[in-house]
């Protein structure tokens, strides 16, 4: 019982009553437009409610009416302070215009029900208080019944409000097309957040690894010149990491589409210089036009090389590394090899390696990671264009 009465708050009852009375006022306007010969007030209201039905059918055929009714229903039928539960209930009522015949007819049914139920509520709101006053003025025992009409009005307000709210969740519910579109939007948002998480792991993880390795090498070298070079490299790496972090946080805060000025394979020299500054002997070989690659392929390829070099510095230390990037007609090939260190991830189950395989798979490519001929090898083949 508590769960059933929990939504019945004073704010909800008042806003729902106002929503119903506003609909009943449409019938009152029809009463003046299509007057009826002298009759009892309740009969006039009933006549107005019936006369308004054809006008409501014509009004419901306008697609934008569904949007307006949905917005009113969200604001007035589900009142109160914002909360996840209230937002979830509001999401069950659409604010989109009618996009199909089914949407149009559900809007027509909603308008007719709202006005008819609103007419009943408006009539009760005017008649029952008058009845209370008349009973209170009597000198006999009927005066004791004066509170009953007010209790009846409260029951009408609560019951009619619950009924119209339930009808809104059915007649103004998002259509199948709208639900699919919302689901696709949510899926795209989750995929984008997953991609941003991988980028944060790759860029920030790479930067921290380079900083740690360079700081340790500078302390062990005992050379002022080498320390100066290491500090310069640490400063540059930290600056790039902060730029990456700020870009990702801006996307997460504002929900805006990610900017396209992200590092690509044409910026690989920056990664190689950072690895060399950490003490690794990096040999690079680049063949083919990198600038002709599709944007997503070039950007994901950069992240793959970045994660591979990060793993080298993290697990093997400053060892010789060979980086080969070859662009063919329809395939770009990435091959990163290094000597096996004492802590090399020979299982190939690390999060970074899994991210490399995920990136390659999403682009329609293939990635192999693991020991190969006495060295650790990351071999990736990606299509040069997205089809």
């Amino acid at each position: 019982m508590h769960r059933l009465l929990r939504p019945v708050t004073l704010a909800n009852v008042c806003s729902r009553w106002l929503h119903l009375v506003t609909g009943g006022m449409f019938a009152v306007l029809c009463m003046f437009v299509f007057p009826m010969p002298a009759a009892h007030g309740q009969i006039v209201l009933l006549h107005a409610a019936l006369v308004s039905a054809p006008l409501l059918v014509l009004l419901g055929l306008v697609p934008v009416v569904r949007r307006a009714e949905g917005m009113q229903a969200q604001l007035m039928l589900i009142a109160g302070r914002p909360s996840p539960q209230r937002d979830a209930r509001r999401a069950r009522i659409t604010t989109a215009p009618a996009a199909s015949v089914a949407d149009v007819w559900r809007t027509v049914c909603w308008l007719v029900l709202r006005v008819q139920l609103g007419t009943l509520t408006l009539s009760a709101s005017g008649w029952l208080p008058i009845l209370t006053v008349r009973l209170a003025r009597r000198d006999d025992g009927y005066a004791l019944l004066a509170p009953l009409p007010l209790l009846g009005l409260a029951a009408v307000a609560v019951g009619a409000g619950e009924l119209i709210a339930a009808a809104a969740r059915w007649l103004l519910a998002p259509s199948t097309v709208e639900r699919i579109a919302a689901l696709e939007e949510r899926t795209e948002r989750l995929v984008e957040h997953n991609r941003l998480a991988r980028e944060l792991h790759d860029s920030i993880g790479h930067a921290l690894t380079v900083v740690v390795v360079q700081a340790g090498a500078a302390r062990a070298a005992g050379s002022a010149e080498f320390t100066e070079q290491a500090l310069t490299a640490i400063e540059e790496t930290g600056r790039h990491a902060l730029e990456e972090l700020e870009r990702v946080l801006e996307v997460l805060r504002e929900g805006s589409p990610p900017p396209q000025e992200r590092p690509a394979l044409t910026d690989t020299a920056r990664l190689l210089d950072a690895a060399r500054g950490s003490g690794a002997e990096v040999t690079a070989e680049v063949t083919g036009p990198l600038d002709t690659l599709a944007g997503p392929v070039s950007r994901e390829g950069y992240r793959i090389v970045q994660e591979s070099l990060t793993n080298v510095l993290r697990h093997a230390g400053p060892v010789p590394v060979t980086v080969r990037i070859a662009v063919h007609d329809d395939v770009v090939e990435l091959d990163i090899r290094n000597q096996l260190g004492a802590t090399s991830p020979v299982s190939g189950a690390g999060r970074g390696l899994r991210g490399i395989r995920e990136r390659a798979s999403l682009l329609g490519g293939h990635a192999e990671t693991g020991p190969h001929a006495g060295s650790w090898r990351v071999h990736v083949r990606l299509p040069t264009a997205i089809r």
Side-chain angles (χ1 to χ4, degrees):
M1 181 63 67
H2 175 70
R3 294 183 60 184
L4 291 176
L5 295 179
R6 185 167 51 185
V8 185
T9 62
L10 181 60
N12 260 335
V13 172
C14 293
S15 62
R16 290 175 179 179
W17 175 84
L18 182 59
H19 185 264
L20 287 167
V21 169
T22 304
M25 293 301 297
F26 184 84
V28 174
L29 293 177
C30 291
M31 181 178 64
F32 291 102
V33 176
F34 304 100
M36 185 181 181
H40 192 272
Q42 309 305 319
I43 302 298
V44 172
L45 278 178
L46 177 61
H47 167 74
L50 295 177
V51 171
S52 64
L55 297 178
L56 294 172
V57 172
L58 295 177
L59 189 62
L61 297 179
V62 181
V64 75
V65 171
R66 184 173 178 83
R67 178 197 292 269
E69 291 296 318
M71 294 176 64
Q72 291 184 57
Q74 282 191 353
L75 293 175
M76 304 187 72
L77 298 184
I78 310 175
R81 295 181 178 178
S83 67
Q85 295 79 8
R86 186 165 287 106
D87 292 342
R89 290 198 295 270
R90 285 181 175 176
R92 297 171 63 182
I93 299 177
T94 185
T95 56
S100 64
V101 176
D103 290 346
V104 169
W105 285 114
R106 285 197 297 170
T107 306
V108 169
C109 293
W110 161 259
L111 289 174
V112 173
L113 176 63
R114 179 188 173 188
V115 171
Q116 305 305 318
L117 195 58
T119 303
L120 173 64
T121 305
L122 182 61
S123 177
S125 300
W127 179 67
L128 291 177
I130 294 176
L131 181 59
T132 296
V133 174
R134 290 178 178 177
L135 288 174
R137 289 179 176 179
R138 295 178 67 97
D139 296 330
D140 51 18
Y142 286 102
L144 298 176
L145 302 178
L148 292 182
L150 294 180
L151 294 177
L153 177 58
V156 169
V158 173
E162 286 295 307
L163 179 59
I164 198 66
R169 292 191 295 267
W170 179 44
L171 296 174
L172 295 181
S175 63
T176 302
V177 174
E178 293 170 349
R179 288 195 296 269
I180 292 176
L183 181 60
E184 290 178 346
E185 181 181 356
R186 180 173 179 271
T187 302
E188 290 178 359
R189 187 166 57 252
L190 290 176
V191 170
E192 178 63 18
H193 285 181
N194 188 40
R195 186 191 64 78
L196 291 175
R198 286 200 307 267
E199 285 205 9
L200 271 181
H201 171 268
D202 293 347
S203 60
I204 304 302
H206 172 79
L208 291 177
T209 299
V210 169
V211 167
V212 170
V213 172
Q214 288 178 338
R219 184 176 59 180
S223 170
E225 181 180 358
F226 184 85
T227 300
E228 180 69 22
Q229 294 176 355
L231 290 176
T232 302
I234 289 174
E235 180 184 6
E236 183 179 356
T237 302
R239 185 182 299 110
H240 289 308
L242 287 175
E243 292 174 356
E244 287 286 323
L245 181 61
E246 181 62 28
R247 180 183 64 81
V248 173
L249 291 179
E250 181 180 357
V251 174
L252 292 177
R253 282 195 302 263
E254 302 180 2
S256 57
Q260 298 302 316
E261 293 77 13
R262 301 205 305 268
L265 279 177
T266 52
D267 303 311
T268 307
R270 187 169 65 191
L271 296 176
L272 303 180
D273 292 340
R276 293 188 181 104
S278 300
E281 301 177 11
V282 181
T283 302
E285 178 184 349
V286 179
T287 58
L290 295 180
D291 54 353
T292 61
L293 295 175
V297 174
S298 187
R299 291 190 292 269
E300 296 301 313
Y302 175 91
R303 294 303 183 190
I304 290 173
V305 175
Q306 183 182 55
E307 179 61 28
S308 300
L309 292 175
T310 300
N311 285 336
V312 171
L313 296 175
R314 181 181 301 164
H315 298 291
V319 298
V321 184
T322 301
V323 178
R324 186 171 65 87
I325 303 175
V327 179
H328 306 291
D329 292 338
D330 55 352
V331 173
V332 55
E333 187 176 1
L334 309 175
D335 191 273
I336 300 93
R337 305 188 187 199
N338 64 275
Q339 293 180 0
L340 285 173
T343 59
S344 296
V346 294
S347 63
R351 180 175 301 175
L353 298 179
R354 184 168 62 250
I356 290 176
R357 290 189 288 267
E358 288 178 356
R359 291 179 186 276
S361 178
L362 288 174
L363 293 173
H366 179 70
E368 296 178 358
T369 60
H372 178 80
S375 63
W376 182 268
R377 181 192 188 199
V378 175
H379 184 74
V380 180
R381 293 173 62 87
L382 303 175
T384 54
I386 302 298
R387 296 179 175 82

